[in-house]
Amino acid sequence: MELSGEFPVKLLCEMMNIRRSSFYAWKKKLSRPSERTKNLVSNIQLFQEYHLRFPSHGYRWLNAKLRLDTGLVLSDPYAHKCCKIAGIKSKAKHYQYKKPGAPGRVFPNLLLSEIQINGPLQCIVSDMTAFYVKGVYYELTLYMDLWNNEIVSHSLSSKRGDRMTYISGLQDLIALKQQYPQYEMILHSDQGSVYASKAFNDLLPMYSITHSMSRAGTPTDNAAMEAINGWIKAELFMDFHVTGEKSVETEIDEYINFFNEQRPAYSLNYLTPVQYRESNLIACADR
């Protein structure tokens, strides 16, 4: 455009091997963009805004979050186009796990039996993840419903190897289980010392909870929980910017609320865990 003021347009077009009509059509398009182009620019700006808030996620999740928050319905290929133009990519680190190991177990791995999970509280998976905030070490123990990926119980401690973090989370899970005594629950974990302890396992039979364990050295046996642990740490520091400026316990509680009620999940067709639970319970009540 700048050279057209110094050289004849005809000469410039000949040097670039394009038609003059194409040049003027392009110039007109710049000055009077179509509605389609305006919508594309607007949508790209939206994806940029959400990427700044949630840099750990890619285009599919950002598209689902936009749909959840604004009601804007865009196809995944279109969302990919917007993110590609804007140079948007997930900044999260992806985790790789070891191949399955030897089948030695403390308790049988019931997940290997391909149990059918078709309702809430049938199978709860648990694990601990650790992180630092302002140089302080924290351990977060999670209990997640495998049916809808809802975190039904959690416990946080700043004491390394705190066994009560697991027990406290288990007690909250038991309190929830007591509201539904008709359910038979499987609790799946790794072979960590607390999960294998007498104090932990003595509580389970009293509330019709059956313990299941992954094979030693085989985190893929609890792949859903391992994946969630990875996403949680990425989101806590990249999206929620946990800094310790206020109570870390409060920040974790706020994140768990976001995870259950505002975070769309790919495995749930981009519903949040609470949306999935409520929609399925309503569907069952209508039958």
Side-chain angles (χ1 to χ4, degrees):
M1 288 290 288
E2 292 80 2
L3 291 177
S4 64
E6 301 178 21
F7 301 95
V9 171
K10 181 179 179 180
L11 176 61
L12 292 173
C13 289
E14 287 176 354
M15 292 183 64
M16 297 178 67
N17 196 26
I18 62 173
R19 297 174 179 271
R20 278 188 296 170
S21 59
S22 299
F23 167 75
Y24 287 115
W26 172 75
K27 185 177 179 181
K28 180 180 178 182
K29 187 176 180 180
L30 285 182
S31 61
R32 289 186 290 177
S34 65
E35 286 300 317
R36 184 177 180 180
T37 302
K38 290 178 182 177
N39 289 335
L40 178 62
V41 172
S42 176
N43 291 329
I44 288 172
Q45 290 174 340
L46 271 176
F47 277 102
Q48 288 174 324
E49 291 172 11
Y50 270 70
H51 178 61
L52 288 174
R53 291 173 57 192
F54 306 106
S56 67
H57 289 284
Y59 72 92
R60 287 191 181 91
W61 190 93
L62 292 174
N63 189 27
K65 183 61 174 169
L66 269 171
R67 187 183 306 124
L68 179 67
D69 290 353
T70 67
L72 180 65
V73 179
L74 303 172
S75 69
D76 279 347
Y78 182 84
H80 180 261
K81 176 182 177 180
C82 292
C83 290
K84 186 175 182 180
I85 293 172
I88 292 172
K89 291 183 179 180
S90 168
K91 295 182 180 180
K93 179 180 178 182
H94 296 283
Y95 296 84
Q96 294 183 345
Y97 302 108
K98 298 177 183 178
K99 293 182 179 179
R105 313 180 189 99
V106 177
F107 286 88
N109 187 337
L110 300 180
L111 295 188
L112 290 180
S113 64
E114 297 183 357
I115 58 175
Q116 297 297 314
I117 302 172
N118 50 26
L121 301 182
Q122 291 180 358
C123 185
I124 305 298
V125 291
S126 181
D127 199 7
M128 184 275 288
T129 187
F131 53 87
Y132 286 87
V133 177
K134 281 191 170 181
V136 178
Y137 176 86
Y138 290 92
E139 291 183 352
L140 174 63
T141 302
L142 301 169
Y143 292 82
M144 185 180 78
D145 192 337
L146 200 56
W147 176 62
N148 68 333
N149 290 354
E150 182 174 0
I151 297 175
V152 293
S153 176
H154 70 282
S155 183
L156 181 71
S157 175
S158 58
K159 180 181 176 181
R160 187 182 292 271
D162 188 357
R163 300 168 68 88
M164 289 310 298
T165 309
Y166 297 81
I167 302 298
S168 175
L170 177 61
Q171 289 172 339
D172 289 343
L173 176 64
I174 288 172
L176 177 62
K177 172 67 171 63
Q178 287 181 296
Q179 300 177 33
Y180 305 95
Q182 72 276 22
Y183 293 155
E184 292 187 7
M185 178 187 291
I186 292 173
L187 173 59
H188 185 85
S189 69
D190 59 25
Q191 294 188 23
S193 59
V194 178
Y195 290 124
S197 68
K198 186 176 185 298
F200 189 92
N201 286 284
D202 281 351
L203 290 170
L204 303 184
M206 299 168 57
Y207 301 97
S208 300
I209 300 176
T210 303
H211 201 175
S212 167
M213 279 188 168
S214 300
R215 292 168 289 178
T218 314
T220 46
D221 281 357
N222 198 2
M225 192 74 256
E226 294 287 345
I228 291 300
N229 275 344
W231 277 116
I232 280 177
K233 284 198 280 191
E235 291 177 343
L236 279 175
F237 296 103
M238 296 176 68
D239 299 347
F240 274 70
H241 307 293
V242 172
T243 60
E245 295 300 323
K246 59 181 178 179
S247 166
V248 175
E249 289 82 359
T250 299
E251 291 184 300
I252 294 297
D253 288 343
E254 290 174 351
Y255 173 77
I256 298 297
N257 178 267
F258 164 80
F259 185 94
N260 286 335
E261 299 186 14
Q262 301 176 48
R263 181 187 185 275
Y266 170 76
S267 60
L268 305 177
N269 198 23
Y270 286 120
L271 295 176
T272 68
V274 170
Q275 282 179 326
Y276 185 86
R277 169 167 52 83
E278 291 177 346
S279 63
N280 277 271
L281 292 179
I282 290 173
C284 291
D286 291 339
R287 291 174 185 171

